[in-house]
Amino acid sequence: MRSRLFVDTDWVLTRNGNECENVRVYIRMPEGCLTSKRKLVAELAGVSEATVSRVMSGVGPIREETRRRVLDAAERLGYTPSAIARSFVTQRSGNIGVMLPVVPKVHLFSAYYFSEILSGIGHAVEKRGYHLLLQFRQADAAPDYESVFRMRKVDGLLALGAKNDDADALHALQAQGWPFCVVGQRFDAPFDQVDADHASGGRLVAEHLLAAGTKRIALVNGPASFSNSVDRRTGFVERLREAGVGLDPSLEFAGNYSRKSGYALAEALYERRSEFDAVFAANDRMAIGLMQGLKERGFRAGADYALVGYDDSDASRTTDPPLTTVHVPFFEMGVRAAERLLDRIAGDNEEGGPSEEERLETKLVTRDSSRLS
């Protein structure tokens, strides 16, 4: 008697112990000659074969206790489904893509902003059994978000380092029904988005400087093409106005979030040092560059003026004086963005359901740079 057996992503054992892998093929062998390893894993773990498949592919909600039993059984039996075969059956790549810009003269993986968010993304993706695929694009070019889906490289995409001008490309991605989430940028659009509450962060800075007795405050901001530049300024200016303090437009300076741009602005601010008693720099890198440039001219933060940065980067703790800043939960942003995307892929966010925006809390971290002696 010969049986007809369908084999998908499983490794199978022949009677003599040899392994062979078959992808979407029908084979005819005598009954009893083949035993599915997936079935053995299911029996050992006390679950169904469908549950084994969901655990091994990272699809769908699984109780942690069940997941652990399946993984333990799979390890004992040496069960590792073929990624290529599994992708044929599930129509999924097992990859989560991250699209991020190539920034000239910036080492992205040493930049606190990118490294923290990517670490959070990697943590969440690995936990759910997916792999991470980084895709780079030129910062000044229109992003091509669709090609990675058309080539089936990824099951979902995280847009990191996006700008206001990228809205059309994201609308096109949404129109195709491909799952994605924007992290670190806010759009007035129905996208899945995860960011920090930067307007609240700007208010925290204003409240702190007002409480310190400063009223003539200069602002060093980043490019308006990033929503966080706009949001930080909005919260900052609103809180000043509530206190009856205006922001002098001539004391607003534009950098590009690099330390070099903050250092370059030191000369202009030094020339006008009698006109301000505090500076809010919209990220730590610009604040540190500015602090260095003014210090070289004999104008010291914490003594001659109050200085506040933004991000709470590692470098903010080691400056002289240590930098007052706003803590942004970049790692948690990465985790939440990845989890939101993975839930949508798995169908836990009702497919076709409304997209959501999530904003995480920011906190002021007070250090010596804003304590005027």
Side-chain angles (χ1 to χ4, degrees), residues 153-171:
K153 288 184 176 181
V154 300
D155 300 325
L157 183 70
L158 292 159
L160 175 58
K163 299 184 293 185
N164 296 338
D165 294 342
D166 298 344
D168 288 344
L170 291 168
H171 276 295

Side-chain angles (χ1 to χ4, degrees), residues 10 33 75 106 130 155 175 247 265 285 295 303 321 324 331:
D10 288 322
C33 284
E75 183 177 0
V106 173
Y130 276 79
D155 300 325
L247 177 63
L265 287 170
R285 290 168 66 87
K295 184 177 180 180
T324 294
F331 182 88

Side-chain angles (χ1 to χ4, degrees), residues 96-331:
I96 295 298
V98 180
M99 183 77 76
L100 65 166
V102 175
V103 182
K105 299 182 180 179
V106 173
H107 299 289
L108 289 183
F109 300 112
S110 65
Y112 186 76
Y113 173 84
F114 287 105
S115 64
E116 284 293 296
I117 292 178
L118 284 171
S119 294
I121 291 171
H123 175 80
V125 166
E126 188 277 334
K127 192 174 181 181
R128 297 279 282 269
Y130 276 79
H131 302 288
L132 203 59
L133 179 66
L134 299 183
Q135 295 284 121
F136 294 92
R137 67 181 182 89
Q138 294 301 316
D140 57 352
D144 178 11
Y145 293 125
E146 296 184 46
S147 63
V148 290
F149 286 101
R150 295 190 188 282
M151 292 186 285
R152 296 187 178 182
K153 288 184 176 181
V154 300
D155 300 325
L157 183 70
L158 292 159
L160 175 58
K163 299 184 293 185
N164 296 338
D165 294 342
D166 298 344
D168 288 344
L170 291 168
H171 276 295
L173 200 61
Q174 188 176 51
Q176 295 290 335
W178 284 313
F180 69 93
C181 182
V182 180
V183 55
Q185 174 77 2
R186 178 183 56 78
F187 290 93
D188 294 324
F191 305 147
D192 278 330
Q193 307 175 51
V194 176
D195 200 359
D197 188 347
H198 295 297
S200 176
R203 291 182 65 87
L204 290 173
V205 175
E207 288 175 359
H208 174 69
L209 291 175
L210 289 168
T214 61
K215 293 184 178 180
R216 296 173 294 126
I217 307 171
L219 172 63
V220 175
N221 205 359
S225 57
F226 296 107
S227 62
N228 51 32
S229 302
V230 176
D231 292 345
R232 291 170 192 179
R233 183 187 184 281
T234 297
F236 180 68
V237 171
E238 284 180 352
R239 184 63 188 93
L240 290 181
R241 286 176 180 165
E242 290 170 6
V245 177
L247 177 63
D248 183 348
S250 70
L251 288 178
E252 289 194 63
F253 300 86
N256 63 7
Y257 285 130
S258 69
R259 185 179 304 195
K260 184 177 180 180
S261 70
Y263 183 83
L265 287 170
E267 182 176 357
L269 270 83
Y270 181 75
E271 292 298 321
R272 304 189 52 189
R273 62 190 180 279
S274 63
E275 300 176 38
F276 65 87
D277 51 13
V279 179
F280 170 32
N283 80 334
D284 288 349
R285 290 168 66 87
M286 291 192 299
I288 292 169
L290 177 64
M291 179 192 292
Q292 180 184 350
L294 290 176
K295 184 177 180 180
E296 290 174 359
R297 292 166 171 81
F299 203 57
R300 293 181 56 87
D304 301 306
Y305 68 102
L307 176 62
V308 178
Y310 202 102
D311 286 348
D312 193 24
S313 62
D314 292 338
S316 68
R317 300 165 178 79
T318 59
T319 56
D320 180 25
L323 180 65
T324 294
T325 185
V326 174
H327 175 76
V328 182
F330 292 124
F331 182 88

Side-chain angles (χ1 to χ4, degrees), residues 41-52:
V41 171
E43 291 175 352
L44 184 59
V47 299
S48 67
E49 288 188 60
T51 298
V52 173

Side-chain angles (χ1 to χ4, degrees), residues 5-58:
L5 177 68
F6 175 72
V7 184
D8 50 18
T9 63
D10 288 322
W11 285 95
V12 293
L13 283 178
T14 61
R15 183 172 289 171
N16 62 10
N18 294 326
E19 291 184 337
C20 59
E21 184 187 11
N22 301 272
V23 182
R24 282 189 176 276
V25 296
Y26 285 97
I27 57 176
R28 291 188 179 277
M29 294 287 287
E31 284 186 338
C33 284
L34 294 175
T35 302
S36 166
K37 269 196 175 181
R38 182 171 62 189
K39 184 176 181 180
L40 293 175
V41 171
E43 291 175 352
L44 184 59
V47 299
S48 67
E49 288 188 60
T51 298
V52 173
S53 293
R54 289 199 300 273
V55 170
M56 301 306 289
S57 61

